[in-house]
Amino acid sequence: MKKINLGSQGLQVPELGLGCMGMTGFQGNDMYGKADESEAIATIHRSFELGGNFLDTADMYGPFANEQLIQKAVGGNRSQYIIGTKFGWEIDDSGSLTWAINGTKDYVRKSVERSLKNLGTDYIDLYYLHRLDKNTPVEETVGAMSDLVKEGKIRYIGLSEVSSATIRKAHGVHPITAVQSEYSLFERTTEAQGVLKTLNELGIGFVAYSPLGRGFLSGQIRKPEDMPADDFRHAMPRFQGEQFFKNVELVKAIETMAAQKEVTPSQLALVWVRSKGAVAIPGTKRRKYLEQNIASTSIVLDAAEIDQLERIVPLGTDTGNPYDDFGMALNDY
């Protein structure tokens, strides 16, 4: 894969990253089905072979187990990888989530030291605030992150799921390299709210998580029973009731277009995200799907095909909220 600039602060990444969240469980539960450590590590290694050395994780995934898995996979090749991790979901000293967001100066320091240990490294390439702490000025949080840049503990600063107003405040304290938000044909809030326009104006990169609509756009989900009974997606409005089946019909239309182009619907969805100037980080823990995702970087859509896709799912289409009410309240929109 070719390398591209992520933002304007000097960070170069492959045009497709690898979301690692599903490679480990979460508080004793599976994420997107059963995880297999050996296959997950093999997937990271295969990604590296294909030029995909940009890994995305967070301290809350596990908690900690995901960062620890990445340490095991990367081994002695740390300098060959670009690692992005996130903090902000408060994790107590026993390793349990409190379900609060903490962006205080002291917690920034505590979190980075913990992530450095779990990743087995002395620096983090891209360090994100996972969610805005609405009780702490973002200037305080980013000021503490800026101190970490000066100390060499982190190289670049990122934010996640934030509004244009928050981005501008943060960028005034220290240049922001990237903003990570959910973005796909099924989730375009950042576009509708003008966040993408703000990022372009300020020279900040955009990283799209869940670019396959949390698996919906893969075309492999036709009924709720296609997901494990304990799958966390059952709690998301997008996967519930009548909305679920409306979304299936949209996917079928995308599949028809993909078949005409002789690609998979996942590949079509990833090319669309890339056409918007975003670096997608589709999550997978299997080499088979990783290879399909990376192959999408050689597929090109012309303007007419982009328009065709957007006629299937126009901006503003209701596909259901990506989170329950608690999760939605944590986003900064």
Side-chain angles (χ1 to χ4, degrees):
M1 286 188 289
K2 70 177 182 181
K3 295 287 195 293
I4 60 173
N5 291 320
L6 182 60
S8 54
Q9 303 306 312
L11 180 59
Q12 284 199 321
V13 300
E15 54 187 338
L16 195 79
L18 175 58
C20 298
M21 182 180 79
M23 292 180 174
T24 51
F26 176 70
Q27 296 198 139
N29 295 312
D30 298 322
M31 302 292 286
Y32 299 105
K34 290 282 183 189
D36 179 288
E37 182 177 283
S38 61
E39 178 62 18
I41 290 174
T43 299
I44 290 173
H45 291 167
R46 181 60 177 147
S47 181
F48 182 81
E49 290 170 1
L50 296 172
N53 65 338
F54 182 30
L55 308 179
D56 183 85
T57 184
D59 59 3
M60 79 169 295
Y61 302 161
F64 311 143
N66 210 263
E67 290 181 331
Q68 292 164 357
L69 174 79
I70 286 175
Q71 177 188 174
K72 189 178 291 189
V74 168
N77 293 319
R78 170 65 186 95
S79 64
Q80 302 300 309
Y81 285 86
I82 301 161
I83 298 176
T85 192
K86 301 178 281 293
F87 79 97
W89 286 94
E90 189 178 73
I91 304 167
D92 65 23
D93 291 337
S94 70
S96 298
L97 281 164
T98 68
W99 294 106
I101 304 297
N102 191 336
T104 61
K105 184 175 182 178
D106 287 346
Y107 193 71
V108 172
R109 174 72 55 178
K110 180 178 183 177
S111 297
V112 78
E113 296 295 349
R114 201 162 49 188
S115 284
L116 288 169
K117 180 181 177 182
N118 285 321
L119 288 164
T121 185
D122 57 3
Y123 71 97
I124 292 164
D125 296 283
L126 179 57
Y127 200 45
Y128 299 94
L129 174 63
H130 208 157
R131 290 292 186 275
L132 178 68
D133 177 355
K134 297 178 181 179
N135 297 311
T136 301
V138 73
E139 294 91 339
E140 175 184 328
T141 307
V142 173
M145 296 170 80
S146 181
D147 290 341
L148 299 179
V149 174
K150 296 184 183 82
E151 295 169 25
K153 293 181 186 293
I154 67 177
R155 295 178 62 210
Y156 300 97
I157 292 176
L159 305 172
S160 181
E161 295 291 9
V162 285
S163 66
S164 292
T166 295
I167 292 165
R168 292 182 187 281
K169 288 178 189 175
H171 196 63
V173 175
H174 186 102
I176 302 301
T177 289
V179 168
Q180 180 179 141
S181 295
E182 182 168 353
Y183 188 66
S184 71
L185 281 163
F186 272 15
E187 176 51 52
R188 296 171 69 180
T189 301
T190 52
E191 189 177 348
Q193 294 286 341
V195 172
L196 298 192
K197 182 179 178 183
T198 299
L199 298 181
N200 289 333
E201 177 189 331
L202 298 177
I204 298 172
F206 182 48
V207 175
Y209 76 83
S210 296
L212 301 180
R214 298 196 181 271
F216 234 140
L217 292 163
S218 70
Q220 295 182 15
I221 301 171
R222 282 291 191 265
K223 54 188 184 303
E225 295 75 29
D226 290 336
M227 298 178 290
D230 62 350
D231 195 299
F232 73 107
R233 288 173 288 184
H234 289 294
M236 297 176 172
R238 181 171 298 159
F239 291 87
Q240 295 174 343
E242 184 181 347
Q243 186 66 61
F244 178 96
F245 295 100
K246 287 182 179 178
N247 291 341
V248 169
E249 292 307 308
L250 294 175
V251 172
K252 287 179 180 177
I254 294 168
E255 285 179 319
T256 298
M257 181 177 170
Q260 292 168 350
K261 198 165 174 64
E262 298 183 332
V263 300
T264 70
S266 292
Q267 289 173 328
L268 202 61
L270 290 174
V271 178
W272 178 85
V273 169
R274 202 171 81 245
S275 78
K276 296 295 184 176
V279 173
I281 49 168
T284 185
K285 50 196 170 190
R286 297 180 181 88
R287 284 167 285 181
K288 171 186 174 183
Y289 298 122
L290 170 89
E291 290 168 354
Q292 285 183 14
N293 292 342
I294 289 180
S296 74
T297 61
S298 64
I299 299 167
V300 177
L301 295 179
D302 61 28
E305 289 169 321
I306 295 291
D307 289 344
Q308 184 181 349
L309 263 178
E310 296 196 1
R311 284 197 300 274
I312 295 172
V313 195
L315 182 64
T317 300
D318 181 13
T319 59
N321 284 339
Y323 293 102
D324 61 14
D325 290 345
F326 174 75
M328 291 299 294
L330 292 171
N331 288 352
D332 179 37
Y333 301 123

